[in-house]
Amino acid sequence: MAGEQMTLVAALNASLRTALVEDPKTLLMGEDIGRLGGVFRVTDGLQKDFGEHRVMDTPLAESGIVGTAIGLALSGYRPVVEIQFDGFVFPAYDQIVTQLAKMHARSRGRVRLPVVIRIPYGGGIGAVEHHSESPEALFAHVAGLRVMSPATPSDAYWMLQEAVRSDDPVIFLEPKRRYYEKGEVDTRPAARPGPPTARVVREGTDLTLVAYGPMVATCLNAAAVAAEEGRDLEVVDLRSISPIDFDTVARSVRRTGRLVVAHEAPVFFGAGAEIAARITERCFYHLEAPVLRVGGYHTPYPPSRLEDEYLPGLDRVLDAVDRALAA
Amino acid sequence: MTGDGIRLLAPDGTRVAHPEHAIDLSPEELRSLYRDMAMARRFDAEGVTLQRQGELGLWPSLLGQEAAQVGSVRALREDDHVFPSYREHAVALGRGMDPLGLLRLFRGVDHGDWDPEEHRFHLYTLVIGSQTLHATGYALGLAKDGSESAVVAYFGDGATAQGDVSEAFNFAAVYGAPVVFFCQNNQWAISESNEKQTRVPLHQRAQGFGFPGVRVDGNDVLACLAVTRWALERARRGEGPTLIEAFTYRMGAHTTSDDPSRYRDAAEVESWRAKDPLLRLERLLRAEGAADDAFFAETEAAGEALAARVREGVRAMTTPDDRNLFDHVYAEPHALVDEERAAFDVYRAAFAQEG
């Protein structure tokens, strides 16, 4: 076996270690990432091995963290920032949108800001308020930012490598409820897959299911259940949310004629809306049914005892599949 | 230490002794400070005129703040860095920036895209206070590199109400970053006076973050130079940040879109006119025989020549190619931008064929 089995957290940790070893200009910044190793232990042991100079515990101020990271990037460093939870990113949203995203364009390419902002995101872990959100659309809507989200330990390792190497700012969304799921990871340089594009993770002929991050596993489960009912579903892991690899999605839809997009984020103005519009434009004459979306409701993320009602799970995905196939 | 703050040059042009911040400048250096202030004032006036003539979309005047800017920037070494807001035109000139680079932003032909490393004068920042964090991060980077360079962040009294500025103070203090926070308190954040911004004199804020804060007479170019030099030396010695509150006055409007007569008293403006930064240095130069009528006439002529060059340069600025819209959004290829650029080209070509 070329790779080894590891959790998604361990893959991220290994990826950060690789980045720190390979480039002395790479720095990690964030709250509790040093001695504690981060609240999810993604940075476990890194400060011990690389020192406080490279792995910096910061004051508890997200705007301060990102604004300072911008200054460090201007001076030639490559900061990888950890925001502790999805719902805590908003104090930094101003720096991300008004400064980080725009500086390369406004300087006509003179200024590069190779900053990665890692954010554990999504629900399903029984957390309190502000700890289960999916803000990807709020970042994908901003020109100048790249947005990506891995679904597996292998993708976590390699996509974080791509994010760290990119000269663009990257919002790197980590599916926190998949943190401790295991998968095979081949960390040898020869295994590097390159920038993340959409990938068909299950082939099928009846309908295309598109998902990313934590929902990929849900959609694979849905496809397995549907197979027992004689339905052959194709599952596409988007992996990158800005840019979106529409070519791969369109190729799949031209074969299956049906599309369901699933994400935890609210459906309204979500990534699914963009995918539905673009695929409708591109594949209008191939579609046998309207493109359907499955996702969160237009409500605040609920208390944890209600999150199973809010989160799109197996049943909601299969319900959409039924409706698309009935059309 | 409130009131006018540290002062080495009184409004009547006489020198004031100070135990810590004495400064000894040659007549040539004094003349050069005057010249820089006069050139900045003339450049700024041309900015206002060009906006009134419709050549610029907007101009934020620095009138009254020449001493704060020229004095502080003169304290910098070549290898130091400046992170400005959007009113630091005299600081820009002091760093050797091409004035037309600044004007392009206000002409609307670009967003201000000069090379920030060429003169170590970083890009203008329009979101109030953001740059204080960038300056802090940059200073951290310099410290990590083992460099002896330091950073000055410029911002106004209004910015001190922003969380980013407090976060910058705290980050700089915690990490001991070699940064000088230079606040030009010009008394007015558009129409809001200091009373609407703060309950304590601004320089006193530094104490709560654990570093020194001083008020300096912002219309005294000698004091601004001496105090900034002292703060930069502290930064270089690894003693961390300093907050300087240059107590000055915005003699003009916030920008050319603003009408200060709606919210402030003419008598207040007049009282500050008596404290004019150029006038007091002129008085000193004349009293000490360091400059004569010929020098002032020559300086005025140089100012007019600069204004003429600026006028000509602004009028010659052309609108960039609209395909530039899609350039440099990302450093690396991005499929969506490529797709939209291609669609834009097809759309425009259709008009060309009709033409």
Side-chain angles (χ1 to χ4, degrees):
Chain A
M1 191 180 81
E4 55 177 305
Q5 287 288 316
M6 59 175 87
T7 61
L8 201 145
V9 162
L12 292 167
N13 181 271
S15 194
L16 291 171
R17 181 176 292 276
T18 302
L20 287 163
V21 167
E22 284 185 353
D23 181 4
K25 288 291 193 177
T26 297
L27 302 171
L28 309 189
M29 300 170 71
E31 299 164 9
D32 307 301
I33 69 164
R35 189 181 287 191
L36 182 67
V39 292
F40 290 106
R41 308 292 181 267
V42 172
T43 55
D44 189 33
L46 297 176
Q47 189 181 68
K48 183 169 65 71
D49 293 350
F50 295 93
E52 288 185 28
H53 166 73
R54 310 265 325 266
V55 182
M56 299 160 63
D57 272 322
T58 61
L60 272 66
E62 285 75 11
S63 189
I65 296 167
V66 173
T68 306
I70 290 169
L72 280 159
L74 289 169
S75 75
Y77 285 84
R78 301 180 77 89
V80 182
V81 167
E82 175 176 301
I83 300 291
Q84 203 159 68
F85 280 95
D86 37 64
F88 299 169
V89 73
F90 299 106
Y93 197 65
D94 165 48
Q95 284 284 348
I96 293 170
V97 173
T98 69
Q99 310 298 315
L100 184 66
K102 292 184 169 71
M103 221 176 273
H104 184 261
R106 72 168 287 209
S107 69
R108 309 290 303 151
R110 281 202 178 93
V111 170
R112 294 194 169 194
L113 293 178
V115 177
V116 179
I117 300 181
R118 297 178 35 243
I119 312 175
Y121 83 120
I125 62 161
V128 291
E129 197 186 11
H130 314 300
H131 290 65
S132 302
E133 295 169 14
S134 298
E136 60 270 24
L138 299 172
F139 296 108
H141 196 63
V142 179
L145 301 176
R146 291 177 183 274
V147 184
M148 57 181 75
S149 178
T152 66
S154 176
D155 275 351
Y157 181 89
W158 285 112
M159 285 168 62
L160 188 52
Q161 286 294 297
E162 294 301 326
V164 167
R165 291 172 200 212
S166 174
D167 277 344
D168 288 316
V170 179
I171 308 296
F172 191 85
L173 297 163
E174 302 170 359
K176 70 168 86 78
R177 69 172 148 135
R178 309 292 178 203
Y179 264 159
Y180 304 107
E181 294 182 9
K182 284 190 170 175
E184 190 180 319
V185 184
D186 181 354
T187 60
R188 292 172 307 173
R192 182 184 173 186
T197 50
R199 182 195 284 152
V200 177
V201 291
R202 179 194 171 110
E203 291 192 345
T205 53
D206 294 342
L207 177 145
T208 303
L209 267 178
V210 168
Y212 51 85
M215 287 298 291
V216 174
T218 307
C219 288
L220 284 169
N221 289 341
V225 171
E228 291 167 16
E229 297 169 3
R231 287 166 172 179
D232 188 21
L233 307 190
E234 180 145 307
V235 180
V236 177
D237 176 0
L238 210 55
R239 302 204 294 162
S240 172
I241 304 157
S242 176
I244 288 176
D245 174 8
F246 291 108
D247 292 347
T248 298
V249 179
R251 260 198 309 276
S252 173
V253 172
R254 283 191 195 106
R255 280 191 291 104
T256 64
R258 289 178 167 83
L259 174 62
V260 173
V261 186
H263 49 60
E264 288 188 18
V267 166
F268 189 62
F269 276 83
E274 181 63 32
I275 294 165
R278 295 246 170 199
I279 294 303
T280 302
E281 199 175 334
R282 284 194 184 200
C283 309
F284 188 68
Y285 295 106
H286 293 84
L287 285 167
E288 307 287 345
V291 178
L292 298 180
R293 292 167 292 156
V294 181
Y297 300 115
H298 193 59
T299 66
Y301 197 91
S304 60
R305 298 283 176 177
L306 291 174
E307 72 177 333
D308 286 346
E309 299 308 314
Y310 174 90
L311 277 177
L314 198 63
D315 289 344
R316 286 236 294 277
V317 174
L318 288 170
D319 175 66
V321 168
D322 287 346
R323 283 186 288 127
L325 286 166
Chain B
M1 191 197 57
T2 51
D4 293 316
I6 296 167
R7 175 178 278 179
L8 302 176
L9 179 61
D12 64 3
T14 56
R15 289 180 184 265
V16 182
H18 193 281
E20 286 164 69
H21 294 292
I23 192 164
D24 184 25
L25 299 173
S26 67
E28 173 52 38
E29 286 169 318
L30 291 172
R31 283 196 298 273
S32 152
L33 286 170
Y34 181 88
R35 194 172 187 278
D36 280 5
M37 289 199 291
M39 295 293 270
R41 179 167 289 188
R42 186 63 192 88
F43 170 58
D44 181 70
E46 198 56 32
V48 174
T49 303
L50 285 165
Q51 193 281 333
R52 292 284 179 250
Q53 294 169 345
E55 300 287 351
L56 300 177
L58 187 77
W59 184 252
S61 171
L62 59 71
L63 187 66
Q65 297 173 223
E66 296 86 352
Q69 294 193 17
V70 169
S72 59
V73 74
R74 186 62 68 88
L76 271 72
R77 292 193 327 204
E78 188 66 25
D79 58 312
D80 293 331
H81 286 259
V82 169
F83 281 79
S85 70
Y86 50 82
R87 202 189 297 278
E88 277 71 42
H89 319 314
V91 179
L93 295 176
R95 293 304 278 171
M97 287 275 298
D98 176 3
L100 291 172
L102 303 178
L103 289 157
R104 290 175 64 82
L105 187 165
F106 297 102
R107 174 82 163 180
V109 296
D110 64 35
H111 282 316
D113 64 358
W114 52 87
D115 179 355
E117 293 292 329
E118 186 185 1
H119 299 290
R120 292 164 207 79
F121 183 84
H122 292 263
L123 302 180
Y124 268 12
T125 305
L126 274 66
V127 179
I128 303 294
S130 288
Q131 75 281 5
T132 55
L133 282 167
H134 308 163
T136 300
Y138 203 99
L140 274 181
L142 291 172
K144 285 182 189 295
D145 292 342
S147 158
E148 279 200 352
S149 311
V151 178
V152 181
Y154 287 88
F155 55 101
D157 44 295
T160 62
Q162 288 279 3
D164 275 7
V165 173
S166 285
E167 293 185 26
F169 287 176
N170 194 45
F171 273 64
V174 165
Y175 293 120
V179 58
V180 176
F181 295 110
F182 194 90
C183 173
Q184 291 167 87
N185 180 356
N186 68 12
Q187 319 290 316
W188 291 94
I190 304 191
S191 68
E192 296 196 9
S193 64
N194 274 195
E195 291 69 38
K196 295 265 196 305
Q197 299 292 330
T198 184
R199 277 286 164 266
V200 297
L202 295 174
H203 64 278
Q204 290 181 9
R205 296 247 179 120
Q207 197 185 340
F209 290 97
F211 58 90
V214 294
R215 179 178 280 183
V216 59
D217 179 347
N219 286 20
D220 170 354
V221 70
L222 304 186
C224 289
L225 169 54
V227 171
T228 310
R229 195 174 272 169
W230 162 79
L232 284 165
E233 288 310 315
R234 290 193 68 251
R236 276 186 237 294
R237 286 195 302 266
E239 292 170 24
T242 309
L243 171 61
I244 299 171
E245 177 193 3
F247 201 71
T248 180
Y249 196 79
R250 194 192 77 210
M251 295 301 284
H254 165 67
T255 69
T256 43
S257 301
D258 174 39
D259 174 12
S261 71
R262 292 175 64 92
Y263 54 79
R264 69 183 186 185
D265 182 20
E268 179 184 273
V269 181
E270 282 315 302
S271 75
W272 276 91
R273 208 176 295 285
K275 302 178 188 175
D276 186 78
L278 274 76
L279 188 59
R280 67 174 82 177
L281 186 56
E282 179 181 348
R283 285 169 173 159
L284 177 79
L285 287 166
R286 288 188 187 277
E288 296 187 351
D292 55 11
D293 286 346
F295 164 77
F296 292 105
E298 188 187 310
T299 302
E300 194 177 342
E304 290 307 321
L306 171 65
R309 183 162 74 83
V310 161
R311 256 195 313 277
E312 207 173 307
V314 165
R315 291 187 175 135
M317 286 174 191
T318 52
T319 301
D321 182 343
D322 50 17
R323 274 195 97 232
N324 287 8
L325 274 173
F326 301 97
D327 293 346
H328 307 298
V329 181
Y330 293 89
E332 293 158 1
H334 189 285
L336 178 64
V337 176
D338 294 344
E339 186 183 317
E340 291 188 350
R341 182 195 283 110
F344 181 80
D345 285 348
V346 169
Y347 177 73
R348 238 185 19 169
F351 286 94
Q353 281 159 6
E354 284 172 17

